Amino acid sequence: MQKSPPLAKKVPFKVSAHGRTWEDLYRWMSNTNDPDFVQYLQEENAYAEAFMADTVDLQNRLVSEMRSRLPTNISTPPERWGPWLYYQCIPEGKEFPVLYRRLEPDKVGWAASVLNYVRGQTGREEILLDWNEVAERYGYVHVGTCRVSPDHRFLAYTLDTTGSEWFNLQVKDLRTGCILPNLQAEGVVSLAWAQDSRTLFYTLADKNQRPYSVLCANIGASNNSDDTVVFTESDSRFCVDITATKDGKFITVYLIDAMNPLGQLRKILKRMSDVQLFVEHHDEFFYVLTNAPLSQSVEWSGEGYYLARCLFDNIELAKFQDVVLPGEDMSFQDMDVFSGYLVLSICKEGLPMLCSISLPFNLDRKAPVELKELNPWFFPMPSKLCTILPGSNHDFMNPVYRAVLSSPVMPDVIVDYDLSRRKVSTVHQEEVLCASVLSGLTSSDDAEKPVDPLASKKSNNTDIQEVEMQRWKSVSESYCCERKEVISYDGVRIPLTILYSKEAWRQGQSPGLLHGYGAYGEVLDISWCPNRLSLLDRGWLLAFADVRGGGGSDSSWHKSGRGFDKENSIHDFAACGKYLVKEGLIHQDQLCAIGYSAGCILMGAAINMYSDLFRAVILKVPFLDICNTLLDPTLPLTTLDYEEFGNPQMLPQFETMMRYSPYDNIPSGGCHPSTLVTASFLDSRVGVWEAAKWVAKVRDYRCSSCSRSVILRTDMAAGHFSEGGYSQHIEETAYDYAFLMKRGEICSD
């Protein structure tokens, strides 16, 4: 007979806001030092282990399947930066990556080649950073930021060895292999080197983990107490980031001349609500990607970014000499710059694309122009459902842009786009073992001709690109990926991507797993993941809902799902679930859902609003007690989240939150879907108590039978991102899948 779930103690506590008072019986759990709380989490872990005991064999089979699909050698292809090739590899038998480099003699002068040969450096592999050594020493490793100095002598990086996301700065001399003892600081977030390779800028976080101060350190200083404070942001609503322009000439927090790092700070644009800008430098011009307001005489929707250019002397006045607009049904997302080219990340009719334009471009008129007038080269892409992840692309002088292309049915392909010759070459494609892999993209759903969206004329170069793309492999012979549009409650069309096995899926009979996030303007990840094959081969349909609040074609998609409009994202998610059932794509009683962190607001609220929709739900490090958390400004990141979710200290925003807050709206009585909740005790982003409070309250409010299938599993030694090795990630995924199969009561073989 199955044991009963733990019973959490109740401690009366009154919460008051805006003249309203309510009781929070589990408020005591926010004290993580309380021995009763630690004991409660341990009891929940024991209950979860007992609940899942009958799935141990299934978990082992799933782990074996997932491992069998991975090659023994997991590595990234070398990527050039100056005379060096940098790459990562997970050594056989290890859990974490190692960062390597080696000198490439073909790209240096003959004298340097001879000297390197005499020194024994030619082709010699150097270990720059070994995550495994850190993990073995401390039991935990999370490397936040890595920055190699311009002369390639020093490696600056930030390191968290506790899971708290409180990162320590370390600088390694790559000639000696020693850590510099005089350059160590706590609470460091971002890094940027000046051109002299002896001056390092870094940002410090306050007690609430808000990066607020920029400091400047000198490699030769006796200790970091001599570090100079360059800038401090006193407004707690804002945080500070720092980076260097690609050519290394400027540091951007304001603008700092990298040749004169302690010189004058120059402001680029006066701070305005919802206005962002990203700055790069090439020759005499700054290139700015921004959504700042344009002149009323310019025809511009005001949503999304445009590209602007201005001279150094005009940057403080924001005197943009030239403005480039994306064009119809297109938006700019990001940019990168090289010695003779600018690369733009684009969203065209909701689909990601890349293009390049030559620098400097010549514009003789004052009126804005559209991108098509600059003769852009649109990079060949393999699929309408392709995702694009930029490579490191550190080398400003190298006219090659590296990217990782992927789709739900195409293993990751690393490609080089030669910007000068307008050609694409395949560097590497992820190997997938024990899967039906089709050589060449021939399926109509998965292959798209590399046609320039701004021109219909076909060139000989296009034929070459098509031949190159035919080398890329997919699993589209066995698995189908489709893009649907779902009508939400207010008539807005929500993109929904579905993935299923052509052999195992059964219309109206198969179970389904719906993914969602819908926050911070983040795009939902639908890239290749071989672990999913374990569900697909068992007949599951996987669906990915790009609800409002996440990333879209422009910033309006994010804005329409945040703050006062957050409920839109919840109803969008529910609409996608209903669509899967109504269209007969899955069994009407076999819809499951999974979410992470802030994405769990979707599932938590949808369960309350649509209690009969889901059969099982997985909530990972979930943000569920939104109102109580944001009412406490002493918690990490709370004030920064006001922009995304609102400030409950303001009555209208408080009332909006209270309408959908998952923790505050759990209905009394009735059934509840089986739920696996995972949490991390050292989580500084989402307190472990949020998951624990929610589980305890669900058990208290919903029917006792359903409460038995709500389990809480807490990692007592991890932070928000877990940061376990790749084997641990496989084991966690197998556990999640086994839970879904157990609660779905379907065949697991």
Side-chain angles (χ1 to χ4, degrees):
M1 181 177 178
Q2 183 177 313
K3 63 182 292 188
S4 298
L7 185 63
K9 74 176 183 180
K10 300 177 182 179
V11 178
F13 186 90
K14 299 291 185 181
V15 183
S16 298
H18 304 290
R20 177 177 170 181
T21 300
W22 65 98
E23 194 166 48
D24 186 2
L25 297 174
Y26 303 106
R27 179 65 169 253
W28 66 273
M29 292 184 178
S30 59
N31 179 11
T32 56
N33 294 319
D34 188 334
D36 289 348
F37 181 54
V38 174
Q39 181 180 350
Y40 171 71
L41 294 179
Q42 292 170 342
E43 291 173 357
E44 286 285 2
N45 279 347
Y47 178 73
E49 183 178 0
F51 181 89
M52 293 290 289
D54 59 348
T55 70
V56 171
D57 289 342
L58 172 58
Q59 291 179 54
N60 291 335
R61 290 199 300 274
L62 290 168
V63 168
S64 179
E65 287 175 17
M66 295 174 188
R67 284 180 174 164
S68 70
R69 300 188 189 106
L70 297 177
T72 54
N73 180 31
I74 303 175
S75 62
T76 63
E79 188 164 357
R80 174 167 301 284
W81 186 7
W84 294 91
L85 295 177
Y86 289 84
Y87 51 99
Q88 290 188 24
C89 176
I90 300 179
E92 188 172 355
K94 298 293 185 178
E95 290 294 303
F96 299 96
V98 178
L99 176 62
Y100 299 93
R101 76 174 180 183
R102 68 172 186 268
L103 201 61
E104 177 58 55
D106 292 340
K107 298 297 181 179
V108 299
W110 68 270
S113 296
V114 172
L115 183 60
N116 289 329
Y117 178 79
V118 172
R119 291 174 174 172
Q121 291 182 332
T122 302
R124 180 169 58 88
E125 188 173 73
E126 298 181 13
I127 295 178
L128 307 188
L129 183 60
D130 188 342
W131 277 251
N132 298 281
E133 288 184 358
V134 180
E136 290 168 6
R137 180 178 179 183
Y138 296 101
Y140 181 90
V141 58
H142 182 181
V143 176
T145 303
C146 281
R147 293 289 183 267
V148 177
S149 61
D151 65 357
H152 300 271
R153 176 173 176 179
F154 299 100
L155 173 68
Y157 60 97
T158 60
L159 184 65
D160 171 23
T161 58
T162 66
S164 64
E165 292 190 72
W166 190 251
F167 291 90
N168 294 327
L169 169 65
Q170 296 196 343
V171 179
K172 184 176 183 179
D173 187 334
L174 298 180
R175 290 184 184 176
T176 66
C178 297
I179 302 296
L180 302 183
N182 60 312
L183 278 176
Q184 298 187 33
E186 296 183 352
V188 176
V189 181
S190 54
L191 306 168
W193 287 97
Q195 273 198 319
D196 62 4
S197 295
R198 297 298 181 273
T199 305
L200 178 66
F201 293 89
Y202 62 92
T203 59
L204 283 182
D206 61 17
K207 62 181 181 180
N208 287 337
Q209 296 191 333
R210 177 183 69 95
Y212 77 103
S213 184
V214 178
L215 284 85
C216 178
N218 189 286
I219 293 295
S222 58
N223 60 71
N224 64 338
S225 63
D226 298 328
D227 294 354
T228 303
V229 177
V230 176
F231 175 80
T232 298
E233 176 56 71
S234 57
D235 191 330
S236 63
R237 297 174 300 167
F238 300 96
C239 55
V240 178
D241 189 23
I242 192 166
T243 187
T245 57
K246 184 75 166 285
D247 62 1
K249 293 184 177 181
F250 292 91
I251 308 298
T252 57
V253 52
Y254 277 25
L255 272 181
I256 302 173
D257 187 339
M259 294 294 291
N260 182 24
L262 295 180
Q264 179 185 6
L265 274 70
R266 305 188 66 170
K267 183 182 293 187
I268 303 173
L269 190 68
K270 181 181 178 181
R271 180 181 291 168
M272 291 182 285
S273 178
D274 285 332
V275 169
Q276 295 180 309
L277 50 84
F278 306 91
V279 180
E280 277 294 354
H281 182 262
H282 182 274
D283 287 344
E284 59 182 336
F285 288 103
F286 286 103
Y287 291 84
V288 183
L289 198 64
T290 182
N291 61 345
L294 283 170
S295 168
Q296 294 182 355
S297 61
V298 177
E299 293 186 10
W300 171 242
S301 66
E303 296 291 350
Y305 300 109
Y306 59 87
L307 177 65
R309 183 174 72 170
C310 65
L311 293 168
F312 176 78
D313 291 338
N314 294 333
I315 189 70
E316 290 184 65
L317 301 176
K319 290 183 178 179
F320 299 149
Q321 290 178 301
D322 304 299
V323 171
V324 180
L325 304 178
E328 188 177 0
D329 296 325
M330 186 184 295
S331 63
F332 296 150
Q333 305 287 314
D334 201 356
M335 70 173 174
D336 199 353
V337 68
F338 296 81
S339 59
Y341 304 92
L342 186 142
V343 175
L344 288 165
S345 298
I346 292 170
C347 186
K348 170 72 172 174
E349 296 178 344
L351 302 173
M353 305 183 73
L354 291 168
C355 80
S356 65
I357 55 179
S358 298
L359 293 181
F361 51 75
N362 296 316
L363 293 178
D364 297 329
R365 43 187 157 151
K366 296 182 179 180
V369 300
E370 290 193 358
L371 175 64
K372 62 184 178 182
E373 298 181 51
L374 299 180
N375 187 30
W377 175 48
F378 282 83
F379 298 179
M381 294 291 159
S383 169
K384 291 180 178 179
L385 294 171
C386 177
T387 61
I388 305 168
L389 181 65
S392 298
N393 295 312
H394 288 301
D395 199 333
F396 178 75
M397 301 304 298
N398 186 15
V400 174
Y401 184 89
R402 177 164 293 183
V404 181
L405 309 181
S406 180
S407 86
V409 292
M410 187 184 76
D412 293 358
V413 182
I414 300 176
V415 295
D416 280 348
Y417 292 102
D418 189 320
L419 308 177
S420 60
R421 298 190 299 163
R422 296 195 167 188
K423 290 184 177 180
V424 58
S425 59
T426 304
V427 179
H428 173 77
Q429 183 166 22
E430 179 181 328
E431 182 182 4
V432 181
L433 307 176
C434 304
S436 177
V437 178
L438 175 67
S439 180
L441 297 174
T442 59
S443 167
S444 60
D445 288 331
D446 307 304
E448 181 179 343
K449 302 294 185 183
V451 176
D452 185 334
L454 300 182
S456 58
K457 188 175 180 180
K458 188 174 180 179
S459 66
N460 292 332
N461 191 44
T462 300
D463 292 327
I464 297 173
Q465 313 306 335
E466 290 179 13
V467 172
E468 181 66 21
M469 289 170 61
Q470 289 302 320
R471 297 174 53 196
W472 300 342
K473 298 178 180 179
S474 78
V475 295
S476 57
E477 191 174 63
S478 301
Y479 305 93
C480 186
C481 184
E482 300 173 1
R483 188 179 179 92
K484 307 288 187 180
E485 283 191 336
V486 177
I487 307 299
S488 192
Y489 77 105
D490 56 356
V492 174
R493 295 179 179 272
I494 311 302
L496 178 68
T497 303
I498 64 172
L499 177 65
Y500 58 90
S501 165
K502 295 180 180 179
E503 179 180 352
W505 173 73
R506 296 291 181 268
Q507 185 165 357
Q509 301 177 35
S510 288
L513 179 61
L514 181 61
H515 301 69
Y517 188 72
Y520 303 109
E522 293 290 332
V523 176
L524 192 62
D525 181 19
I526 60 169
S527 58
W528 168 257
C529 177
N531 292 342
R532 294 183 190 136
L533 299 181
S534 291
L535 284 182
L536 296 172
D537 290 344
R538 288 171 169 82
W540 284 73
L541 179 143
L542 307 184
F544 305 84
D546 288 305
V547 303
R548 282 171 283 184
S553 57
D554 58 47
S555 59
S556 64
W557 195 254
H558 172 217
K559 292 177 182 177
S560 61
R562 74 175 190 186
F564 286 115
D565 296 318
K566 181 60 188 173
E567 288 170 284
N568 284 339
S569 64
I570 299 164
H571 294 302
D572 292 349
F573 189 75
C576 289
K578 292 178 180 179
Y579 173 87
L580 295 174
V581 173
K582 182 180 179 181
E583 295 299 315
L585 294 169
I586 64 171
H587 190 283
Q588 62 179 358
D589 295 324
Q590 295 290 345
L591 174 61
C592 304
I594 185 169
Y596 297 81
S597 192
C600 294
I601 292 175
L602 302 181
M603 295 88 207
I607 291 172
N608 294 338
M609 298 176 184
Y610 308 93
S611 58
D612 297 331
L613 185 57
F614 300 100
R615 179 60 173 268
V617 176
I618 297 178
L619 305 174
K620 303 183 78 67
V621 289
F623 185 28
L624 298 168
D625 191 12
I626 179 171
C627 204
N628 283 321
T629 294
L630 295 184
L631 279 170
D632 186 353
T634 65
L635 291 175
L637 307 179
T638 288
T639 54
L640 296 178
D641 268 337
Y642 289 163
E643 183 177 4
E644 181 67 24
F645 302 105
N647 181 356
Q649 297 180 33
M650 310 293 290
L651 179 58
Q653 298 175 48
F654 167 79
E655 291 175 336
T656 298
M657 285 184 201
M658 288 299 286
R659 283 200 303 268
Y660 68 81
S661 171
Y663 179 73
D664 294 299
N665 289 281
I666 298 172
S668 181
C671 290
H672 192 278
S674 302
T675 309
L676 164 62
V677 184
T678 67
S680 296
F681 190 75
L682 300 177
D683 195 336
S684 61
R685 290 178 180 250
V686 181
V688 63
W689 58 86
E690 297 219 11
K693 288 175 64 177
W694 186 85
V695 167
K697 191 171 181 179
V698 166
R699 295 238 183 88
D700 190 28
Y701 275 52
R702 309 310 293 267
C703 79
S704 59
S705 177
C706 291
S707 296
R708 294 178 179 275
S709 60
V710 176
I711 63 174
L712 171 63
R713 190 187 193 207
T714 303
D715 188 331
M716 302 299 290
H720 189 71
F721 296 105
S722 181
E723 287 301 310
Y726 82 96
S727 290
Q728 181 180 328
H729 174 70
I730 286 176
E731 291 168 2
E732 290 177 358
T733 303
Y735 188 95
D736 294 346
Y737 287 3
F739 174 83
L740 293 172
M741 294 174 189
K742 173 185 174 72
R743 299 320 305 162
E745 297 177 3
I746 64 167
C747 179
S748 59
D749 292 315

